[in-house]
Amino acid sequence: MIHIMGLTVLSLLLCIATCSFAFGFKDGPLENGNFEEIPKSTDLNGTVVLRTNAIPHWETSGFVEYIKAGQKQGDMLLVVPEGFAAVRLGNEASIKQRVNVTVGSLYAITFSAARTCAQAEELNVSVKPDFGVMPIQTLYSSSGWDLYAWAFRAVFTVAEILLHNPGVEEDPACGPLIDSIGIRVLNPPKATKFNLLKNADFEEGAYMFPNATTGVLIPPNVEDDNSALPAWMVESLKAVKYIDAAHFSVPHGQRAIELVGGRESAIAQVARTIAGKTYELTFAVGDASNSCEGSMIVEAFAGRDTLKVPYESKGTGGYKRAVLRFVAVSNRTRIMFLSTYYHMRSDDYASLCGPVVDDTKLLSVRNPRRLV
Ligand SMILES: *[C@@H]1O[C@H](CO)[C@@H](O)[C@H](O)[C@H]1NC(C)=O
Ligand SMILES: *[C@@H]1O[C@H](CO)[C@@H](O)[C@H](O)[C@H]1NC(C)=O
Ligand SMILES: *[C@@H]1O[C@H](CO)[C@@H](O)[C@H](O)[C@H]1NC(C)=O
Ligand SMILES: *[C@@H]1O[C@H](CO)[C@@H](O)[C@H](O)[C@H]1NC(C)=O
Ligand SMILES: *[C@@H]1O[C@H](CO)[C@@H](O)[C@H](O)[C@H]1NC(C)=O
C-alpha cells in the first residue's frame, strides 16, 4: 500500500515536472529578471528608456529609467542590490512580462524594490484579474531594498505580470526602484494524520533568490488575498518575513517565519478540530541570528486559549519549544501567532525584526488525563 502510494506520489511529481516543462515554466528569475541584459545605447537617453521594448524581455510604459550601480540621484548614491542594474518607475510608469502558466495553479512572484523620494511609495502588482497594492517602505532593511512576495492564481494560460507605480509625485524622477524579479509555482500541502496544520514547517512558500540575504516579506492578506505562504494568512497591517536556513538561524527545516511587525502582523490558519477534544499545539520560538536582541514574547492563540512564550534573544540564533494545550470548542479552531513587541536590529537601529516561529504542530491528545 505504502509502495503504491509512493509510486503515485512519484508519478505525480514527474507529471508536475513534465507538465511545467511542457508549458515552459521554471521556478526562478524571470527572463532578464535582474535587468542585466542592457538596452541598446540608442534606446536610452541618459538613464531614460526611450522605447517600450528597449529592455530585453520587458515591455515598459511611461517614464522608466535604467539605473546602473554607482549612479547618483542628486547627492544620493543609488545602491543596486543584485548585479549592476535596476529600473525605476516614474509616475504611472510600469513594466510587464508574459509568463506561460497552468490555469488553476497558484504562483508567487518575488521582487526586490526600494523607495526613492516619497515617504509613501507604492507598487501595484497585478496578474489579471488580480492585483495588490503594496507599500514600499524602508522599515525592514537599512539599505532600503527589500524583497516582497505576491501570490496569484492563474486564470489564463498566459500571466501578464505587471508592476505599476500608481504614484503622482511632483518630481518625475521619484518612484520605486525594482530589481530581481522571480516566480515560483506553489504546491499547497495538506493536513495529515500526523499534523492538523498545513504547511506547518513553512517549507512551502515564495521563491527565494539563492544570493539574497534579507529574507522575503510576505504582505498581509489585505494586499495579497492568495498568500505567498500557502495555508497561512498574514493578518493585520504589516508583513511577516520569510527566512531561509542559508542566511538565518532556522529552528527546523529550510524555512521559518520572522514576526517583524509586532502586534500589527500575525500569521493564522484555521484547523479542523472536534469540539470537546483536547489538543496540543507545539511550536518553536527563537531568533534568526540577525542581531535582533532583547526580551521577546510570542503569543500563540488556539481559539480562545492563549499562551505567551517569553524568549531571551542574544541575536545569535537559538530556539525553544512551547506547548499550548486546549480543549476545542468547535469544529474549526483558529491558530494564530504574533509578537507582543517591536524589535530593532542592534547593528543598524533602522530595521524591524522579531522572534522566529517554526515547526508548528497540532494534534489531538489521546489520554489527556494521563498526560497532565
Ligand atoms: C509560451 O507558449 C507559447 C505558445 O504555446 C510559446 O510559443 C512560447 O514560446 C511560450 N513562451 C515561453 C517563454 O516559454
Ligand atoms: C535627451 O534628454 C535631453 C534632456 O532631457 C533632451 O534635451 C533631449 O532632447 C533628449 N534626447 C532625445 C533623443 O530624446
Ligand atoms: C492596480 O492594477 C490593476 C490592474 O492593472 C487595476 O485594475 C487597479 O485599478 C490598480 N489599482 C490601483 C490602486 O492602482
Ligand atoms: C551569486 O553570487 C555569486 C558570487 O558573488 C555570483 O557568482 C553569482 O552569479 C550570483 N548568482 C546570482 C543568481 O545572482
Ligand atoms: C460540528 O459538526 C457537526 C457535523 O458536521 C455538527 O453536527 C455540530 O453541530 C458541529 N459542532 C459545532 C460546535 O459547530
Side-chain angles (χ1 to χ4, degrees):
M1 183 61 188
I2 285 164
H3 187 64
I4 293 165
M5 273 175 62
L7 272 179
T8 315
V9 168
L10 186 67
S11 42
L12 195 75
L13 287 173
L14 281 173
C15 170
I16 289 167
T18 45
C19 288
S20 309
F21 181 75
F23 284 96
F25 185 84
K26 189 161 65 62
D27 288 349
L30 295 187
E31 301 272 7
N32 196 18
N34 52 8
F35 307 104
E36 307 291 275
E37 285 181 51
I38 330 173
K40 287 197 204 106
S41 57
T42 50
D43 284 342
L44 292 176
N45 183 3
T47 55
V48 181
V49 174
L50 297 176
R51 251 183 358 102
T52 181
N53 295 313
I55 302 174
H57 303 285
W58 291 96
E59 228 179 289
T60 61
S61 114
F63 185 85
V64 176
E65 285 185 283
Y66 188 77
I67 306 286
K68 291 186 184 133
Q71 196 167 310
K72 281 194 172 172
Q73 183 206 36
D75 295 335
M76 192 172 73
L77 183 71
L78 295 172
V79 177
V80 168
E82 198 272 326
F84 65 86
V87 295
R88 190 220 306 276
L89 302 180
N91 292 335
E92 293 289 357
S94 66
I95 51 165
K96 68 179 176 192
Q97 183 173 130
R98 292 181 185 83
V99 176
N100 290 342
V101 291
T102 306
V103 170
S105 289
L106 197 60
Y107 297 84
I109 298 165
T110 301
F111 62 93
S112 171
R115 71 176 174 85
T116 48
C117 331
Q119 283 300 318
E121 285 178 11
E122 289 180 333
L123 265 182
N124 184 355
V125 188
S126 64
V127 173
K128 276 179 190 138
D130 203 2
F131 71 90
V133 178
M134 294 163 59
I136 305 300
Q137 293 167 318
T138 47
L139 294 172
Y140 306 103
S141 73
S142 51
S143 75
W145 285 92
D146 277 302
L147 284 161
Y148 298 81
W150 183 77
F152 68 94
R153 193 172 288 284
V155 173
F156 306 106
T157 53
V158 176
E160 189 173 87
I161 297 168
L162 177 75
L163 279 77
H164 172 239
N165 170 19
V168 277
E169 298 299 323
E170 268 173 43
D171 184 350
C174 287
L177 285 152
I178 298 168
D179 197 356
S180 300
I181 309 180
I183 189 169
R184 180 166 185 271
V185 63
L186 299 174
N187 302 299
K190 298 212 156 34
T192 64
K193 65 176 176 177
F194 306 108
N195 199 338
L196 298 171
L197 292 175
K198 301 170 194 165
N199 199 13
D201 206 10
F202 308 108
E203 297 297 303
E204 183 62 26
Y207 179 70
M208 293 221 184
F209 291 92
N211 280 12
T213 57
T214 59
V216 176
L217 293 169
I218 310 268
N221 57 355
V222 290
E223 293 160 29
D224 181 3
D225 47 10
N226 285 307
S227 184
L229 189 65
W232 294 93
M233 282 169 290
V234 178
E235 304 207 317
S236 303
L237 298 170
K238 287 215 164 68
V240 298
K241 194 173 260 191
Y242 195 39
I243 57 172
D244 59 336
H247 301 99
F248 296 90
S249 275
V250 162
H252 189 260
Q254 293 303 308
R255 304 272 191 265
I257 295 297
E258 183 185 4
L259 297 169
V260 292
R263 301 190 75 93
E264 282 184 280
S265 71
I267 49 166
Q269 181 173 147
V270 176
R272 277 171 190 266
T273 49
I274 297 168
K277 267 198 158 188
T278 302
Y279 291 83
E280 274 184 359
L281 173 67
T282 57
F283 53 99
V285 170
D287 72 282
S289 186
N290 55 350
S291 303
C292 192
E293 294 165 32
S295 300
M296 301 175 166
I297 293 176
V298 168
E299 295 179 40
F301 299 76
R304 291 175 214 157
D305 294 275
T306 67
L307 178 69
K308 291 187 177 179
V309 183
Y311 176 81
E312 283 301 319
S313 172
K314 295 192 174 66
T316 53
Y319 66 93
K320 68 196 238 185
R321 293 199 181 270
V323 185
L324 168 54
R325 175 179 283 219
F326 64 98
V327 177
V329 295
S330 82
N331 292 350
R332 299 265 187 279
T333 301
R334 224 172 93 88
I335 303 296
M336 186 169 85
F337 299 96
L338 60 78
S339 162
T340 308
Y341 305 119
Y342 288 102
H343 300 274
M344 292 290 211
R345 284 172 65 143
S346 65
D347 55 355
D348 67 15
Y349 295 106
S351 309
L352 284 174
C353 62
V356 167
V357 171
D358 198 11
D359 200 14
T360 68
K361 187 188 272 186
L362 178 65
L363 273 180
S364 69
V365 179
R366 272 173 224 285
N367 297 303
R369 267 188 209 95
R370 248 177 52 199
L371 291 173
V372 166

